[in-house]
Amino acid sequence: MVRVAIGPGDDVEAWCTRCRMNLNHRVIAVVGVEIKRVHCLTCGGDHKYYPPKYEGSGKKTAKAGKIPSAVRTVKSREAAEARAVGEWKRMMDEMPAEHTPRPYRLSESYQPAEFIEHPVLGKGRVMEILGAQRISVIFRDGRKILVCNKN
Ligand SMILES: [Zn+2]
């Protein structure tokens, strides 16, 4: 899988200091390869980028929380990938047995929580409507931004 460098306007999973959850954030500022500022797509707040928090790192919000070192970041990225698969499975488990996911098409419009099937990425579920023509969908490979409502 090719990893594309993150730039402003991209969506990343990050810890929201207001919502106190790992949520999708739009990147506002990047310095070098480091994400500096993000915009929470849930509460609409702008704040410093904090990497997503996972079990084991404790429930407390990091008051004086240090951003993990580069080495830790690589390790937690693997954990994040494993967790993404777990999240996807949980989401897909909610699909009723008789339900057929809707084939993904650029021209269609989608609703949150809808099950879809992408020709390349496979089965997924709409997590968030990001705008008139963008949706965030979770696939086995993780969350992807897909275009919709396009003529
Ligand atoms: Zn938030």
Side-chain angles (χ1 to χ4, degrees), residues 16 18-19 23 25 40 42-45 47:
C16 179
R18 270 200 233 174
C19 307
L23 293 164
H25 284 69
C40 177
T42 305
C43 69
H47 57 79

Side-chain angles (χ1 to χ4, degrees), residues 100-132:
T100 309
R102 194 141 67 96
Y104 166 72
R105 285 212 200 99
L106 276 179
S107 57
E108 301 274 293
S109 65
Y110 296 91
Q111 299 299 319
E114 202 173 327
F115 295 100
I116 66 167
E117 180 144 24
H118 189 278
V120 177
L121 297 162
K123 290 192 176 80
R125 191 169 185 189
V126 179
M127 301 299 286
E128 229 177 324
I129 308 299
L130 300 174

Side-chain angles (χ1 to χ4, degrees), residues 61-122:
T61 33
K63 261 186 202 157
K66 276 301 264 174
I67 292 167
S69 69
V71 178
R72 271 198 57 132
T73 306
V74 171
K75 275 189 192 161
S76 63
R77 197 184 72 200
E78 282 166 18
E81 277 168 12
R83 202 186 150 92
V85 173
E87 189 187 15
W88 172 78
K89 281 193 183 138
R90 276 199 309 280
M91 289 297 164
M92 298 313 289
D93 277 351
E94 290 174 15
M95 184 167 78
E98 70 279 9
H99 185 80
T100 309
R102 194 141 67 96
Y104 166 72
R105 285 212 200 99
L106 276 179
S107 57
E108 301 274 293
S109 65
Y110 296 91
Q111 299 299 319
E114 202 173 327
F115 295 100
I116 66 167
E117 180 144 24
H118 189 278
V120 177
L121 297 162

Side-chain angles (χ1 to χ4, degrees), residues 26 105-111 128-136 145-151:
R26 176 100 7 106
R105 285 212 200 99
L106 276 179
S107 57
E108 301 274 293
S109 65
Y110 296 91
Q111 299 299 319
E128 229 177 324
I129 308 299
L130 300 174
Q133 295 192 321
R134 269 152 52 101
I135 49 173
S136 171
I145 308 294
L146 299 182
V147 173
C148 59
N149 294 326
K150 209 159 173 92
N151 296 317

